Amino acid sequence: MKKSLMLACALVLAGLSGTASAGEAFVRGEIGKSDVKLKLDGVGSESDKDTAYALRGGYWFNSNFAVEGHYSRFYDQTLYNDGAGYVDGKLSAIGLGMVAKEHTTDSGLGFFVQLRAGVARGKISLDTSEGSGSETSTKPYYGIGAGYDFSRRFGLSLNYDHNQGSGGGLEITANTLSLGLEARF
């Protein structure tokens, strides 16, 4: 029994190491627009838009599957300023997830669609003339994209991502449409 388990583990590790050596690392920058919605129990809801960006990096195990980590900034605005007092708000997230990509050709180049999903730790920060504070929550995220891989090393895509957070009666969603540039090495 132990020998069978050891053999199975060795085969799995050998398969993973072969897959990993056939893959490639990547970095990706995205810039676009976020639509941020806030809903506070008993108070109501509000929404606003802001320029958003994301920095992503990870590893493609093959042309179809990757793991990624990311930092995203969805919102960074002054919410109130009358000269005597101010309130600045920021919304960001760090996350870890999986990416699945399918090309329209067998070469692994050209047009593609991709899906991504994972878990992100969102953070809302408020800085005021009276002090500052922040709140975090961990929630799933997901996204879809379409683009074009010009070579094995370079691609461009249009992406839509949905992130959410909650805590203390506050629910937040950030829906982002962005243009992404990916380099693989």
Side-chain angles (χ1 to χ4, degrees), residues 30-38 46-54 71-81 87-94 122-127 133-135 163 170 172-177:
E30 298 174 355
I31 188 159
K33 205 58 131 172
S34 271
D35 182 12
V36 177
K37 295 181 178 151
L38 300 147
E46 194 68 40
S47 67
D48 200 3
K49 293 178 177 26
D50 196 13
T51 300
Y53 67 87
Y71 171 80
S72 301
R73 172 67 62 92
F74 308 110
Y75 191 82
D76 187 358
Q77 292 285 321
T78 298
L79 304 171
Y80 173 81
N81 190 343
V87 177
D88 293 332
K90 294 179 184 169
L91 181 61
S92 61
I94 58 170
K123 180 178 181 182
I124 185 167
S125 303
L126 293 176
D127 183 26
S134 64
E135 190 74 34
N163 286 266
L170 178 65
I172 302 170
T173 60
N175 295 310
T176 306
L177 185 63

Side-chain angles (χ1 to χ4, degrees), residues 3 9 13 18 21 31 47 66 72 77 82 109-110 115-116 128 138 143 168:
K3 287 182 182 180
C9 289
L13 290 174
S21 67
I31 188 159
S47 67
S72 301
Q77 292 285 321
D82 68 357
L109 297 176
L115 301 172
R116 58 184 171 209
T128 73
T138 303

Side-chain angles (χ1 to χ4, degrees), residues 122-171:
K123 180 178 181 182
I124 185 167
S125 303
L126 293 176
D127 183 26
T128 73
S129 50
E130 303 293 319
S132 60
S134 64
E135 190 74 34
T136 61
S137 68
T138 303
K139 298 281 186 178
Y141 74 90
Y142 59 87
I144 187 168
Y148 193 87
D149 278 335
F150 295 95
S151 71
R152 252 191 79 225
R153 302 283 180 223
F154 173 73
L156 191 65
S157 64
L158 183 63
N159 310 290
Y160 172 81
D161 291 291
H162 175 80
N163 286 266
Q164 56 191 3
S166 63
L170 178 65
E171 292 179 28

